[in-house]
Amino acid sequence: YNAVACNAYPVNGNSTWHYIGSSSLGASRYHIGFGDHKWFTAAAGTRGNDITWSERLSINSSGKVLIGTNTEGNSSADDLTVSTSGTTGITIRSGTSNTGNIYFSDATSGTGEFAGAIEYAHNGNSLRLHTNSDERLRITSDGVVGIGSTSPGSSSKVFSYQSNASAGNNIILENNYNANSTTTFLKAYRQGGAVGYALQYKDSDTRFRQGCY
C-alpha cells in the first residue's frame, strides 16, 4: 500500500510508525490500498515514540463507507456504517427556517426521488413522515399527531382514506389474538394510574361497552 502521513514516519518496513514532532502534536495517516482507502489518527505523543493508530474512516473496494469500524452492518443496510463504543448518532443540522430530510428513492427524477421521506421542519418544529411522495403523518411541536392531516390543530386527529370513495373514512382497530377477545379503543386514567374510563368492543357477544373500572 501507499501512505501519506503527518507528524509520522515509518520504521520496520511500515509496520511501525514514530512521531516526528513534539509531545503536543497528534498524527494522521492516509492509506491507499488495493481497492480501498483508509484514514487513521493518533493522539499526541513524544518524538521518536511508537504511534498507536485508530482507524477512523474507510472506503472499501465495494464502495461501502465505514466510520469508526472496519466491520460492515447488516447486508440490507451496509452502504454506510457508523460505529463507536458508546451512544452513537448522526446529526443533520439545517437552517432555522428550513427542513432536515432523509429521502427514500427508487428513481433519478420526478417524485420517485422522494417516494418516502422523514422530514423535520425547524420553522414550526414539526416532524413529518411521507409515503408515495406525500405527507401522511405529522407531529406538531406540541406533540399533537395528525395522520392524513397536515393541520391537526390542538388535539390528535386520525383520518383513514379508502381507495373506494363510497367506503368513507374509517379507523380500524384489530385484535389478532382470538375470536373472543376484547378490543379497547380508549382508556382514561385517574391520578395514580387506575383506569377511570374505557370504551371497549367485546367480540364474543358483538357489543360495545363503556364505563368506569
Side-chain angles (χ1 to χ4, degrees):
Y1 66 87
N2 295 315
V4 178
C6 178
N7 192 31
Y9 66 92
V11 294
N12 299 328
N14 292 334
S15 62
T16 304
W17 292 72
H18 286 177
Y19 288 98
I20 297 174
S22 66
S23 59
S24 63
L25 301 174
S28 58
R29 176 174 135 224
Y30 169 48
H31 166 130
I32 308 170
F34 294 99
D36 63 3
H37 302 259
K38 297 183 179 182
W39 287 261
F40 301 81
T41 64
T46 303
R47 178 183 297 155
N49 282 6
D50 288 353
I51 296 176
T52 301
W53 295 106
S54 295
E55 184 176 326
R56 301 302 187 185
L57 184 149
S58 66
I59 303 174
N60 64 24
S61 58
S62 299
K64 302 183 189 305
V65 178
L66 310 175
I67 301 174
T69 181
N70 53 23
T71 303
E72 300 167 5
N74 182 273
S75 59
S76 295
D78 62 353
D79 298 292
L80 171 62
T81 302
V82 180
S83 175
T84 71
S85 59
T87 302
T88 306
I90 299 173
T91 297
I92 299 175
R93 182 173 289 114
S94 311
T96 56
S97 59
N98 301 99
T99 61
N101 306 292
I102 299 175
Y103 281 4
F104 304 91
S105 171
D106 58 1
T108 57
S109 63
T111 57
E113 289 192 284
F114 52 94
I118 302 172
E119 174 188 4
Y120 190 88
H122 292 282
N123 184 13
N125 289 309
S126 62
L127 179 66
R128 307 163 184 183
L129 301 181
H130 299 241
T131 64
N132 199 26
S133 305
D134 280 322
E135 182 180 330
R136 306 299 184 182
L137 182 148
R138 179 177 297 198
I139 304 174
T140 70
S141 60
D142 298 323
V144 178
V145 179
I147 301 177
S149 172
T150 60
S151 301
S154 60
S155 60
S156 295
K157 296 180 180 179
V158 178
F159 297 93
S160 175
Y161 296 100
Q162 306 290 327
S163 58
N164 181 357
S166 63
N169 297 329
N170 299 289
I171 300 173
I172 300 173
L173 301 180
E174 182 176 336
N175 190 322
N176 291 320
Y177 289 104
N178 58 65
N180 294 317
S181 294
T182 298
T183 298
T184 301
F185 292 83
L186 172 69
K187 285 184 179 180
Y189 290 87
R190 296 193 299 270
Q191 186 175 4
V195 178
Y197 179 86
L199 175 63
Q200 298 177 327
Y201 177 79
K202 182 72 172 177
D203 187 69
S204 59
D205 51 10
T206 316
R207 64 183 174 88
F208 285 98
R209 64 181 184 180
Q210 62 182 357
C212 298
Y213 297 91

